[in-house]
């Protein structure tokens, strides 16, 4: 009589499922109890990300009445919501607004009063052309980018994707932003970080890295702010 050893695969799957449940439960617990999630719900923001831009803006005083702001990677719209309130004389989410907001994302975004939204891929020339048309020949005062690539887990490939998006954002700012303007871009600590910082230093007079309190400690994300464009050539 032969004996068969039991395959370890079902046991592994069970372990993985149990592990995933624990991770999901822990994330959900952290999310529900996150003070910024609670604050976003209370103050009517679509995501806690609003407080990242809020801290950056309050630190550096970037967004001023009358500004033209381009929001790249805007969905679900928390950054556009924050900018819209900053451009409102009374800080209101609706009503009078002194300024212009143009937002773009690959994914759809629920409308925000006063915000022009373009659904498109920033990596595609067609989307950039639509952005240019929305600008109507004007130059932006501020470009904010919360864009992030879909990460594959392969560090070299992911680093290249992050770097490419930052390059595109800088190039857009160089072509469509006022010389004294500012670019805020999400980046990640990793193999591409030093390269990305150098790209900023090559393009801007002043470069400041900021890790807002609303960025989770375990997250590798940080933000680079470039202020004052260097002259090309």
């Amino acid at each position: 009589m032969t004996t068969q050893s039991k395959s370890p695969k079902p046991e592994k799957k069970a372990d993985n499922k149990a592990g995933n449940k624990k991770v999901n439960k822990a994330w959900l617990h952290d999310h529900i109890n996150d003070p910024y999630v609670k604050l976003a719900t209370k103050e009517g923001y679509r995501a806690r990300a609003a407080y990242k831009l809020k801290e950056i803006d309050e630190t550096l005083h970037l967004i001023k009445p009358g500004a033209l702001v381009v929001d790249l990677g805007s969905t679900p719209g928390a950054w556009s919501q924050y900018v819209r309130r900053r451009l409102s004389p009374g800080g209101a989410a609706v009503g009078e607004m002194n300024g212009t907001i143009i937002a773009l994302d690959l994914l759809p975004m629920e409308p925000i009063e006063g915000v022009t939204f373009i659904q498109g891929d920033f990596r595609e020339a067609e989307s950039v052309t639509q952005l240019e048309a929305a600008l109507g020949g004007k130059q932006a005062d501020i470009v904010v980018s919360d864009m992030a690539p879909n990460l594959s887990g392969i560090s070299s490939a992911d680093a290249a994707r992050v770097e490419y998006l930052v390059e595109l954002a800088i190039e857009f700012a160089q072509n469509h932003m006022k010389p004294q303007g500012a670019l805020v871009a999400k980046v990640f600590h990793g193999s591409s970080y030093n390269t990305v910082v150098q790209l900023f230093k090559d393009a801007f007079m002043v470069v400041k890295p900021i890790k807002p309190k609303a960025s989770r400690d375990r997250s590798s994300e940080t933000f680079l702010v470039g202020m004052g464009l260097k002259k090309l050539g």
Side-chain angles (χ1 to χ4, degrees):
M1 180 175 145
T2 59
T3 58
Q4 288 182 326
S5 61
K6 290 182 180 178
S7 168
K9 287 182 181 177
E11 190 176 331
K12 277 187 178 178
K13 284 182 180 176
D15 286 347
N16 286 341
K17 283 182 179 177
N20 287 338
K21 281 182 181 176
K22 283 180 183 176
V23 169
N24 290 339
K25 194 172 181 181
W27 181 89
L28 190 60
H29 178 270
D30 288 349
H31 186 73
I32 290 170
N33 291 286
D34 186 311
Y36 290 103
V37 172
K38 290 179 178 178
L39 195 58
T41 302
K42 180 183 176 184
E43 296 189 343
Y45 285 115
R46 296 175 183 177
R48 65 196 298 287
Y51 300 101
K52 300 174 188 178
L53 183 58
K54 184 175 188 287
E55 183 177 334
I56 293 167
D57 180 41
E58 288 178 347
T59 301
L60 299 173
H61 310 290
L62 300 174
I63 302 166
K64 297 178 173 65
L68 194 169
V69 181
V70 175
D71 181 4
L72 302 174
S74 59
T75 302
W79 279 23
S80 282
Q81 284 181 303
Y82 172 74
V83 175
R84 195 252 177 270
R85 294 184 191 192
R86 285 286 289 121
L87 296 179
S88 168
V94 294
E96 188 183 349
M97 187 177 84
N98 181 14
T100 304
I101 307 166
I102 303 167
L104 178 141
D105 200 285
L106 188 60
L107 299 173
M109 185 177 87
E110 288 294 317
I112 298 170
E113 186 179 309
V115 177
T116 298
F117 176 68
I118 298 164
Q119 186 174 351
D121 188 337
F122 187 62
R123 296 166 298 182
E124 301 293 335
E126 183 183 349
S127 297
V128 177
T129 300
Q130 286 181 279
L131 262 179
E132 289 170 345
L135 284 167
K138 296 179 182 177
Q139 289 183 306
D141 294 280
I142 309 289
V143 177
V144 295
S145 170
D146 201 26
M147 292 188 297
N150 291 324
L151 300 178
S152 66
I154 301 167
S155 59
S156 58
D158 291 341
R161 290 188 178 104
V162 170
E163 189 178 327
Y164 181 54
L165 284 177
V166 171
E167 281 181 350
L168 290 178
I170 290 173
E171 183 181 342
F172 180 82
Q174 288 173 323
N175 292 327
H176 301 290
M177 192 174 77
K178 292 175 183 175
Q180 68 275 25
L183 168 66
V184 179
K186 176 160 72 178
V187 300
F188 298 90
H189 281 287
S191 59
S192 67
Y193 182 72
N194 289 338
T195 304
V196 166
V197 170
Q198 191 57 52
L199 288 173
F200 261 76
K201 286 181 175 178
D202 290 343
F204 296 97
M205 301 284 192
V206 177
V207 178
K208 291 185 180 292
I210 297 181
K211 172 86 169 177
K213 293 183 184 70
S215 283
R216 292 187 171 98
D217 291 339
R218 63 180 176 271
S219 171
S220 66
E221 78 171 12
T222 190
F223 294 85
L224 289 177
V225 184
M227 295 178 284
L229 285 166
K230 290 182 176 179
K231 289 184 179 179
L232 291 172

